[in-house]
């Protein structure tokens, strides 16, 4: 795969062209024999392309057509290159959209397309976007589209990173929703954490306590622009996989994680930044065993079938939640291990 190179001006122009395109986006039809199956989950891994809407729609179509998937998660901020490599205030208006849950009358053509995809394929679709609220607050958000309808809830990314190449605090306000669990019509309750959220066990535990049968983590992670951040010469990928497998094992819940793949190079005047997103999307069962995965250069979907009753029964048999002692965990409500945060 070659680098996808862009400038701030080309990014904004390409996204604007996609929004204003007079050519309808394509929804490939399913064959008569295709049928989404209850509990069949997928997480999509793709490289960013200029025609990302049609490209990722084809990936969704394949997951339904060939794998029978009924709940599908798309990558973090998949509609554009990962723009957080630098700080550019023109993105505040140029790349944001209102929430389709609270302001459906403001939906753009891309949002309406993916709502239509969920209807055409009878699926639940985890959709990541850069949200702008009525008062101008900006969030990294997911919404759930199901059977042509939009769930009333959204989840806003709780933990916002900041570092070379991943300057998200410039773009996003920390989420105010807390953990969110979406009750779908597919016999599954799903929890979603977004990228940096995956490193925090508290969020995974809360989503399972709130009834999640499966967790999804849409992601954008790859090489680190500054040497020394990762002790492993291969980067953070092994650590990244292990932490989520740990959440699965500790909470006895299946997890699917999707990451983008391929190199994206930002050229902004004399400033250049490049991240090679390592893919490695995976699905693990409720013991933390990886049961499906993709390599760093591949596109496609990782797939897992979730039986919610089986998952709950196994968790109850182990007694993990029965034996919890939340009254003893005072320090988890602190920053320094001693002082309880106001409102905690």
């Amino acid at each position: 795969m070659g680098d996808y190179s862009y400038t701030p001006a080309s990014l904004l122009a390409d996204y604007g062209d996609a929004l204003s395109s007079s050519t309808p986006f394509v929804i490939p039809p399913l064959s008569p024999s295709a049928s989404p199956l209850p509990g069949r989950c997928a997480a999509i891994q793709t490289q960013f392309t200029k025609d990302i809407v049609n490209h990722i729609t084809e990936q969704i179509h394949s997951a339904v057509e060939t794998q029978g998937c009924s709940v599908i998660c798309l990558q973090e901020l998949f509609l554009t290159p990962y723009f957080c490599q630098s700080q550019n205030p023109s993105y505040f208006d140029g790349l944001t959209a209102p929430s389709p849950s609270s302001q459906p009358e403001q939906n753009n053509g891309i949002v309406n397309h993916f709502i239509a995809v969920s209807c055409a394929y009878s699926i639940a679709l985890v959709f990541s976007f850069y949200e702008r609220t009525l008062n101008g607050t900006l969030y990294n958000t997911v919404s759930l589209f199901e059977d042509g309808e939009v769930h009333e809830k959204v989840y806003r990314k709780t933990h916002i990173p900041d570092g070379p190449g991943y300057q998200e605090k410039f773009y996003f306000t920390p989420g105010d929703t807390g953990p969110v669990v979406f009750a779908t019509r597919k016999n599954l309750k799903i929890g979603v954490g977004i990228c940096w959220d995956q490193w925090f066990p508290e969020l995974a535990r809360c989503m399972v306590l709130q009834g999640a049968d499966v967790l999804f983590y849409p992601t954008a992670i790859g090489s680190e622009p500054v040497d020394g951040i990762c002790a492993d010469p291969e980067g953070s990928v092994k650590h990244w996989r292990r932490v989520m497998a740990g959440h699965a094992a500790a909470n006895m819940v299946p997890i699917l994680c999707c990451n983008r793949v391929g190199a994206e190079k930002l050229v902004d005047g004399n400033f250049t930044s490049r991240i090679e997103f390592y893919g490695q999307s995976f699905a693990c069962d409720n013991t933390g065993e990886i049961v499906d995965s993709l390599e760093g250069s591949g596109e496609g979907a990782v797939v897992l079938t979730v039986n919610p009753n089986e998952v709950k029964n196994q968790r109850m048999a182990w007694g993990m939640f029965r034996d919890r002692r939340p009254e003893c965990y005072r320090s988890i409500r602190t920053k320094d291990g001693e002082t309880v945060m106001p409102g905690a």
Side-chain angles (χ1 to χ4, degrees):
M1 292 183 178
D3 287 9
Y4 184 90
S5 296
Y6 66 97
T7 66
S10 70
L11 189 164
L12 290 165
D14 290 345
Y15 187 64
D17 289 346
L19 290 176
S20 61
S21 174
S22 59
T23 304
F25 300 114
V26 178
I27 303 179
L30 295 173
S31 66
S33 61
S35 178
L37 303 173
R40 191 74 164 162
C41 298
I44 302 291
Q45 173 173 301
T46 62
Q47 182 180 24
F48 180 78
T49 70
K50 194 169 181 178
D51 190 23
I52 189 62
V53 174
N54 285 321
H55 182 65
I56 211 158
T57 301
E58 291 170 358
Q59 298 287 338
I60 298 168
H61 173 268
S62 177
V64 181
E65 177 74 34
T66 66
Q67 304 268 22
C69 298
S70 58
V71 182
I72 298 176
C73 182
L74 306 180
Q75 298 157 186
E76 180 188 25
L77 302 171
F78 70 94
L79 289 173
T80 64
Y82 180 74
F83 53 84
C84 305
Q85 293 194 52
S86 68
Q87 298 182 5
N88 192 317
S90 63
Y91 299 160
F92 296 159
D93 289 325
L95 301 182
T96 55
S99 168
S101 299
S102 59
Q103 302 177 68
E105 71 283 356
Q106 299 294 321
N107 286 353
N108 61 46
I110 293 175
V111 169
N112 284 332
H113 167 75
F114 284 104
I115 294 172
V117 168
S118 77
C119 181
Y121 297 160
S122 300
I123 59 172
L125 188 64
V126 179
F127 179 84
S128 170
F129 67 105
Y130 188 9
E131 181 190 3
R132 181 184 66 255
T133 67
L134 283 169
N135 69 356
T137 307
L138 305 175
Y139 295 104
N140 188 335
T141 302
V142 293
S143 185
L144 187 71
F145 305 156
E146 185 172 16
D147 302 335
E149 298 180 5
V150 180
H151 278 240
E152 63 180 14
K153 296 178 181 179
V154 298
Y155 170 68
R156 293 167 173 158
K157 187 173 181 176
T158 300
H159 306 95
I160 309 297
D162 191 71
Y166 300 88
Q167 300 183 49
E168 295 194 17
K169 279 186 166 63
F170 182 76
Y171 293 102
F172 309 119
T173 298
D176 59 358
T177 60
V180 172
V181 173
F182 299 92
T184 75
R185 303 187 188 101
K186 315 304 179 191
N187 194 35
L188 286 180
K189 294 180 179 179
I190 68 173
V192 182
I194 303 173
C195 200
W196 191 231
D197 285 336
Q198 63 212 185
W199 299 91
F200 296 86
E202 301 90 341
L203 187 68
R205 174 55 55 92
C206 287
M207 289 189 286
V208 180
L209 283 172
Q210 290 174 206
D213 301 309
V214 60
L215 303 184
F216 290 94
Y217 287 100
T219 301
I221 189 172
S223 57
E224 300 288 349
V226 177
D227 292 336
I229 290 179
C230 302
D232 190 325
E234 296 182 6
S236 60
V237 63
K238 293 179 181 178
H239 184 188
W240 174 76
R241 279 188 164 187
R242 284 193 295 263
V243 73
M244 284 177 281
H247 299 335
N251 293 287
M252 297 200 71
V253 66
I255 286 177
L256 295 92
C257 176
C258 53
N259 189 19
R260 65 175 68 201
V261 67
E264 296 177 8
K265 182 178 180 181
L266 166 66
V267 180
D268 188 0
N270 293 326
F271 174 78
T272 300
S273 178
R274 180 182 183 273
I275 296 177
E276 186 161 355
F277 295 95
Y278 50 59
Q280 303 288 340
S281 302
F282 69 98
C284 58
D285 66 15
N286 61 332
T287 70
E289 181 177 357
I290 293 178
V291 295
D292 196 11
S293 64
L294 289 167
E295 298 307 315
S297 60
E299 293 188 310
V302 291
V303 177
L304 178 70
T305 299
V306 178
N307 182 324
N309 289 330
E310 184 177 284
V311 168
K312 290 173 185 173
N313 288 339
Q314 289 179 1
R315 189 185 302 123
M316 290 179 67
W318 272 75
M320 284 181 173
F321 282 16
R322 178 199 64 203
D323 296 338
R324 290 180 64 251
R325 296 289 307 282
E327 72 277 12
C328 297
Y329 308 150
R330 180 180 181 275
S331 60
I332 205 70
R333 297 183 290 137
T334 74
K335 288 276 193 177
D336 60 6
E338 296 181 0
T339 308
V340 175
M341 298 290 291

